[in-house]
Structures are given as C-alpha cells and as structure tokens.
C-alpha cells in the first residue's frame, strides 16, 4: 500500500485535531506492544495507526473510547501526591507543623545567638592559639 496521510483519514473524524489525537494514541499503544489489525509492511507505528483508521479495522467509537480511558486513568504516583498533600493539610490544621509568631521569633533569635556564640568561641580559640604560636616563635 502507498503511504497513507492524514488526508486519507480525515473523512472518518469531524476534525483533524480529533484524528491526530486518536491516531497518536493508537500509535503509542502499538509501540507499547498491542497487536496491529493490519499488515505491518515494515511501516512505523504512526503509519500503521493511520492505515488502521483508513481501512476501518477499528471503529472510530472504539478509538475514541480508548483515548478517553487513557486520559481518565490516574497513575499511582498522582494518587500518592494527592494523599501527601491531604496529609500535610491535616497536620497544618491540627497545629503540629505551624509556629505562632512568638515561637517563630524565639527560634530565629536562638539560631542567631548560637551562630554568634560559635563565632565568638572560634575567634577566642584562634587568638589563644596565635599567642602560643608567637611565644614559640620568639623562643
């Protein structure tokens, strides 16, 4: 069979957009391992999908329903993300993850003070050690 084009299939669907969506979905299914309903003839999956549509080996309703089912299915990771979002919102409502204004200020002050103390301690250590090094060098 000669190469098939979208023009050969456009009479099967009301719009080019719908035809392209259905044909691309069918091509993905062929790529994932579904058996074609026409001879392969060393063609690519997109050409095979268009040939199936042109030869009407699959009904347009069947192709449309497969496309709809493909978009309606939720993957496990999407469900997990939704559950995590719901869990986080439940925790925030119970107040376990939220800090009120005073607690937040106190945490910031404690963090600042501890970093200042560390800086001061490090500076004292450096001064003490440099004095000892100078005494050793002088003798």
């Amino acid at each position: 069979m000669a190469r098939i084009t979208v023009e050969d299939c456009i009479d099967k669907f009301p719009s080019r957009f719908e035809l392209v969506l259905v044909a691309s979905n069918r091509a993905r299914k062929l790529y994932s391992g579904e058996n074609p309903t026409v001879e392969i003839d060393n063609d690519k999956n997109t050409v095979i999908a268009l040939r199936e549509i042109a030869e009407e080996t699959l009904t347009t309703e069947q192709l449309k329903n497969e496309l709809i089912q493909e978009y309606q299915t939720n993957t496990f990771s999407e469900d997990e993300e939704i559950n995590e979002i719901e869990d986080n919102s439940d925790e925030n409502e119970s107040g376990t993850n939220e800090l009120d204004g005073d607690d937040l200020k106190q945490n910031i002050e404690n963090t600042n003070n501890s970093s200042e103390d560390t800086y001061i301690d490090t500076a004292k250590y450096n001064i003490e050690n440099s004095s000892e090094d100078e005494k050793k060098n002088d003798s």
Side-chain angles (χ1 to χ4, degrees):
M1 180 179 208
R3 284 280 180 197
I4 191 139
T5 64
V6 173
E7 299 297 325
D8 300 324
C9 304
I10 196 68
D11 59 334
K12 311 292 189 271
F13 291 93
S15 72
R16 288 176 184 256
F17 179 73
E18 190 174 342
L19 170 63
V20 170
L21 283 175
V22 168
S24 63
N25 186 53
R26 181 64 185 152
R28 281 192 296 274
K29 287 186 179 275
L30 290 170
Y31 180 77
S32 68
E34 281 196 19
N35 294 326
T37 58
V38 295
E39 286 187 39
I40 296 175
D41 292 335
N42 202 24
D43 288 328
K44 295 182 178 180
N45 292 331
T46 52
V47 175
I48 295 170
L50 288 172
R51 284 182 41 216
E52 289 177 338
I53 293 169
E55 295 176 16
E56 295 181 351
T57 57
L58 298 170
T59 65
T60 57
E61 288 304 313
Q62 183 181 7
L63 291 168
K64 286 180 187 180
N65 288 336
E66 287 178 1
L67 178 66
I68 291 169
Q69 287 175 356
E70 187 76 25
Y71 283 110
Q72 285 181 341
T73 33
N74 288 334
T75 61
F76 184 70
S77 63
E78 289 172 350
D79 289 340
E80 254 183 19
E81 290 172 7
I82 290 170
N83 289 339
E84 286 177 12
I85 291 169
E86 289 173 354
D87 290 345
N88 288 341
S89 66
D90 290 344
E91 287 176 3
N92 286 342
E93 289 171 6
S94 66
T96 56
N97 283 342
E98 291 184 0
L99 294 174
D100 64 4
D102 294 334
D103 289 340
L104 185 58
K105 287 178 186 176
Q106 187 64 37
N107 283 346
I108 292 170
E109 288 174 9
N110 290 343
T111 304
N112 289 340
N113 289 340
S114 65
S115 59
E116 287 175 10
D117 292 342
T118 304
Y119 177 75
I120 291 170
D121 290 341
T122 306
K124 286 179 182 176
Y125 176 79
N126 290 339
I127 291 170
E128 290 171 1
N129 287 338
S130 66
S131 315
E132 291 176 12
D133 290 340
E134 287 175 4
K135 289 177 186 175
K136 289 180 185 176
N137 289 337
D138 290 339
S139 41

